[in-house]
Amino acid sequence: MAFSKQQLQKFADLIRIEISDEQLSRMNIDSVIEWLDKLQKINTNGVTPLLNPSEHKLPKRVDSVTDGNMRDLVLANAPDKSGVSRGYFAVPKVMDE
């Protein structure tokens, strides 16, 4: 069974390698199987699996409340002041009953 040029290109894209059009035109099923055998023979002993290509760790911060208990200051920004006296923002009605 022979692979088409498009199938070989898709295969190359899936395994993230770059193959020129010239190389693709020379490839056949035997060369693909030979190629996969070469990949299987690579010694990966002692190589830790890569779970993420970016090994950066995001900095963590302490989870602490810094601006708590500021209800009156927050409600002072309300555009509609009708609910402020009761401690909430008043918003337009969006659903019919």
Side-chain angles (χ1 to χ4, degrees):
M1 177 178 146
F3 287 110
S4 70
K5 187 176 178 180
Q6 291 81 14
Q7 288 171 319
L8 291 173
Q9 185 61 53
K10 183 173 181 176
F11 179 68
D13 291 341
L14 288 172
I15 60 174
R16 305 288 192 256
I17 59 172
E18 211 172 291
I19 298 177
S20 68
D21 288 338
E22 180 183 312
Q23 288 175 313
L24 279 176
S25 62
R26 289 185 283 139
M27 292 183 91
N28 59 31
I29 185 69
D30 296 331
S31 65
V32 172
I33 292 173
E34 181 182 317
W35 190 28
L36 291 173
D37 285 339
K38 285 181 183 178
L39 287 175
Q40 289 290 335
K41 291 177 184 175
I42 295 173
N43 182 8
T44 58
N45 291 337
V47 178
T48 56
L50 182 65
L51 300 176
N52 185 351
S54 174
E55 293 294 330
H56 301 309
K57 301 282 186 211
L58 293 175
K60 296 182 180 176
R61 62 175 173 78
V62 177
D63 189 17
S64 60
V65 177
T66 56
D67 293 327
N69 209 13
M70 298 175 54
R71 186 178 92 173
D72 294 334
L73 290 173
V74 172
L75 288 173
N77 294 316
D80 182 355
K81 305 291 185 198
S82 62
V84 171
S85 64
R86 291 176 284 220
Y88 61 85
F89 285 100
V91 295
K93 185 177 181 180
V94 293
M95 296 180 68
D96 293 327
E97 293 183 33

